[in-house]
Amino acid sequence: MSFTSNSNKTKLFLIIAGLSILVLLIGFKSAANTDDTAQSYIISAKNFTLLKDNLKALGVMPTHELKIIDSVAVNLTDAQLNDLQKKQQITISTNHKVELSGQAYGQRRWQPKSVVTEQVDATYVHQTGNFGEGVTIGFLDTGLEQLQGLATDLQGRDKAWGTYDAINDTVSNYGIEASGHGTHVASIAVNSDYDSNGQIYGVAPNASHVGIKAFDDEGKATYADVIRGIGWALEVKDQINLRVLNMSFSGPVRSNYWEDPLNKAVMKAWQAGIVVVASAGNKGPDPMSIGVPGNVPYIITVGAMTDDYTSFNYSDDKVASFSGAGPTAEGFVKPDVLAPGGHISGLMSFDSQIVIDHPEFHDGGRYFEMSGTSQAAAVVSGVVALLLTDNPALTPDQVKCKLLASAYSANNADGSKRYSVFQQGAGLISAYYAIASTEVNCANNTLDIAKDLNDEEHFSGPANINEDGNFYVEGLGQEYVWDINDPNFVGDGMLWKTSLEAYSAWQDTATTDGMLWKTNFETDGMLWKTGFGTDGMLWKTSFETDGMLWKTAIEINNWVEPQ
């Protein structure tokens, strides 16, 4: 047996004591840093180069370089953020989480029939030989799976450009999607399959497509990933003729439209010549329920109508109760138009997460039935592709004008609006009449997107609130007042249109069974020339109450009951 000398015991005691003090110090340091964990921010500055240099000096690297809005996404502690603010003037927002527009599921249908193309008059466009060829649609979503109908067009030619993964900043020829949402949405617009009656499913079956994956398997994303996806779309738009960008997602409004980083990126895309189509969101039927980025005044924001499961019996068609309604916080009329979104059949792999969670709505093959403004937006994206195939020279503003000028407004027998413009916008879109329309200068006339993006001037719309608390459009009559206390304000069934075959030529109105169908919304006061209608920002919404604009997460549309 051996023993430790007194000298060695003293050394051992000192070592143990030193270690104990070190542990205590580490503990104190950890406790002190509990509230100093890094958080993801989107930072922008006038001097972008200086911003990157200052971040480098702080020892941090951006997770995303968002050139489209002269910003970076970066993880910073409170201390680092304070240091950065001392070095230069910056604009800060939280890198919010976002989700796809909420989805609803319909009743199970075997061998679903193609109905959407006829409901929006796309079949009449197909008869002219226009199937959307030569136009690429980008789907900013959960990715795309190359199922039959998406891989090739009607002539068997490859039409898929693959997928850009904005989460990992990679490109692949074949996108593998786990969610199912992105594939479903894309198939509504570009599916080249035929149903059992020989009808084409897709609105623009020969249009090319590219997946831009910014949302994960659960339909969630961050602002940074979505913005990076938009930036990539601008980089490749000329290479692949990307003319349309579908955004079937919606998040809560946290600020004026021009202050939101995601909205800024959307405005950049529109300014660059890309037609942006966004869902209105599924937070309806309450007023002011339009989400981000649908609240951007320039773009095409789409609400949903439903045929109430009677495909070609137009007497019970109505605005879906879940469809987001306007006006926006700045007084703009939204949605711009409506499209079918009540219960739409689209492609979805049997092993997709949505099918696994809701197998009762899958047909056992490749089709799944869903509802939502996500699906309605995809219909409009397909129609836009048809417009651009017919006339590639159209600008985004001109495309929007033609859609507004040709939509079917739901009217009562006396010609009054059956729904408020804040619920139906211009009305149900018509691909055939949009192409036939000669209107090209009726949208965004009083707006200036360059000044908006440069913070030189921002805009408000023509909506206001009267003394009874109802919304109305300035300069127009009682027909444009929305009595939100009316129990029937979401409608109880209304014909949107009669068959196109009933029209011998373009007409402003047509009468069938006592119902008046106003097909040209531009005849009363040119409502869609949206500019200043109020003096200042009338809408004191919650984002102005606590000084903190960026708090809640942004998500895909909420779940809604099928209609």
Side-chain angles (χ1 to χ4, degrees):
M1 179 180 294
S2 61
F3 296 89
T4 304
S5 68
N6 288 337
S7 176
N8 287 338
K9 285 180 180 179
T10 301
K11 290 179 180 178
L12 182 61
F13 172 79
L14 291 173
I15 291 170
I16 293 172
L19 288 173
S20 299
I21 293 170
L22 180 61
V23 169
L24 286 172
L25 288 173
I26 292 173
F28 283 129
K29 182 174 178 61
S30 298
N33 283 347
T34 299
D35 296 326
D36 203 24
T37 55
Q39 182 177 346
S40 183
Y41 296 97
I42 293 177
I43 310 289
S44 62
K46 294 289 186 182
N47 191 330
F48 190 57
T49 301
L50 179 61
L51 173 62
K52 291 193 290 185
D53 290 342
N54 285 333
L55 289 172
K56 186 177 181 180
L58 289 173
V60 294
M61 290 290 293
T63 59
H64 300 68
E65 190 165 318
L66 308 173
K67 295 180 181 178
I68 186 175
I69 56 171
D70 294 327
S71 304
V72 296
V74 61
N75 297 318
L76 297 173
T77 64
D78 288 345
Q80 290 170 328
L81 185 61
N82 288 333
D83 286 345
L84 184 61
Q85 288 176 300
K86 293 176 183 177
K87 293 176 182 294
Q88 71 179 121
Q89 185 175 352
I90 57 177
T91 302
I92 309 162
S93 67
T94 300
N95 181 18
H96 301 296
K97 302 209 178 283
V98 294
E99 294 187 0
L100 297 176
S101 293
Q103 54 224 22
Y105 310 97
Q107 59 194 23
R108 187 163 186 155
R109 295 291 183 86
W110 297 97
Q111 296 181 327
K113 301 297 187 294
S114 172
V115 297
V116 169
T117 54
E118 187 166 338
Q119 288 173 333
V120 297
D121 301 336
T123 50
Y124 299 96
V125 179
H126 295 169
Q127 290 169 11
T128 69
N130 181 348
F131 297 97
E133 190 168 346
V135 176
T136 297
I137 305 174
F139 294 94
L140 186 53
D141 216 288
T142 58
L144 286 176
E145 192 151 0
Q146 301 304 327
L147 300 178
Q148 180 181 337
L150 291 179
T152 58
D153 66 12
L154 296 171
Q155 283 72 46
R157 298 168 298 192
D158 182 22
K159 64 178 181 181
W161 287 102
T163 297
Y164 169 65
D165 186 338
I167 301 171
N168 298 302
D169 196 19
T170 59
V171 178
S172 61
N173 289 331
Y174 300 97
I176 299 176
E177 185 205 10
S179 166
H181 187 274
T183 300
H184 191 272
V185 165
S187 72
I188 295 168
V190 300
N191 185 5
S192 59
D193 269 357
Y194 293 85
D195 70 6
S196 58
N197 294 327
Q199 297 295 316
I200 301 170
Y201 280 112
V203 177
N206 278 4
S208 299
H209 62 80
V210 63
I212 304 175
K213 179 179 171 61
F215 293 83
D216 62 19
D217 301 349
E218 297 179 351
K220 298 179 180 179
T222 66
Y223 260 41
D225 288 334
V226 175
I227 294 170
R228 181 153 67 182
I230 299 171
W232 181 85
L234 264 66
E235 291 176 7
V236 303
K237 71 180 182 68
D238 294 332
Q239 301 171 38
I240 64 175
N241 199 31
L242 197 161
R243 299 293 307 276
V244 189
L245 190 55
N246 186 90
M247 297 185 178
S248 287
F249 60 89
S250 176
V253 175
R254 303 178 177 89
S255 70
N256 290 115
Y257 73 84
W258 59 83
E259 296 174 312
D260 189 290
L262 196 159
N263 282 350
K264 289 181 181 179
V266 167
M267 291 163 65
K268 286 272 192 176
W270 187 270
Q271 184 186 40
I274 296 177
V275 180
V276 180
V277 180
S279 57
N282 294 351
K283 299 290 188 180
D286 292 339
M288 299 187 72
S289 54
I290 301 291
V292 170
N295 66 327
V296 174
Y298 300 92
I299 69 172
I300 301 168
T301 305
V302 186
M305 55 78 64
T306 176
D307 62 14
D308 206 27
Y309 295 99
T310 58
S311 303
F312 304 115
N313 174 16
Y314 302 117
S315 64
D316 57 0
D317 291 1
K318 57 188 175 184
V319 176
S321 64
F322 57 76
S323 185
T328 68
E330 296 79 26
F332 287 100
V333 175
K334 291 285 181 173
D336 296 295
V337 291
L338 297 178
H343 48 275
I344 310 297
S345 292
L347 290 169
M348 193 180 294
S349 176
F350 70 91
D351 58 352
S352 296
Q353 189 60 50
I354 293 175
V355 174
I356 293 171
D357 293 340
H358 303 275
E360 66 274 21
F361 304 118
H362 198 244
D363 74 343
R366 297 180 300 119
Y367 282 85
F368 190 89
E369 194 171 81
M370 295 175 66
S371 300
T373 54
S374 287
Q375 285 62 38
V379 175
V380 174
S381 290
V383 170
V384 172
L386 297 178
L387 278 165
L388 292 171
T389 296
D390 178 77
N391 185 356
L394 291 173
T395 67
D397 285 344
Q398 290 172 335
V399 167
K400 181 176 179 179
C401 172
K402 288 170 78 71
L403 288 174
L404 295 175
S406 59
Y408 297 105
S409 176
N411 300 326
N412 296 312
D414 62 0
S416 61
K417 298 280 180 273
R418 181 64 186 90
Y419 294 98
S420 163
V421 293
F422 303 118
Q423 297 166 279
Q424 66 169 321
L428 178 65
I429 61 166
S430 167
Y432 182 85
Y433 282 141
I435 289 175
S437 173
T438 59
E439 296 285 345
V440 290
N441 297 312
C442 60
N444 300 340
N445 280 350
T446 59
L447 307 179
D448 189 322
I449 198 167
K451 290 182 177 180
D452 223 340
L453 285 168
N454 290 334
D455 285 330
E456 296 175 31
E457 187 176 3
H458 302 300
F459 303 92
S460 63
N464 213 322
I465 303 175
N466 65 21
E467 58 186 11
D468 296 322
N470 299 320
F471 295 101
Y472 69 97
V473 178
E474 295 218 3
L476 299 179
Q478 284 297 311
E479 184 180 359
Y480 294 91
V481 175
W482 182 11
D483 182 357
I484 60 174
N485 297 312
D486 180 356
N488 297 315
F489 78 92
V490 297
D492 55 3
M494 182 62 197
L495 291 178
W496 294 100
K497 64 185 179 74
T498 56
S499 170
L500 261 180
E501 295 170 350
Y503 294 91
S504 57
W506 171 264
Q507 301 175 27
D508 287 339
T509 59
T511 305
T512 302
D513 296 332
M515 309 301 286
L516 182 64
W517 310 106
K518 216 170 201 179
T519 58
N520 187 348
F521 193 70
E522 295 298 320
T523 59
D524 274 330
M526 297 297 288
L527 170 65
W528 300 102
K529 291 185 177 179
T530 48
F532 276 107
T534 60
D535 50 353
M537 295 299 108
L538 177 66
W539 317 101
K540 301 299 182 184
T541 51
S542 59
F543 63 77
E544 297 183 292
T545 58
D546 55 15
M548 182 61 181
L549 302 183
W550 314 99
K551 285 192 170 180
T552 56
I554 183 172
E555 302 179 348
I556 291 178
N557 295 329
N558 57 300
W559 187 91
V560 292
E561 292 296 326
Q563 292 183 19

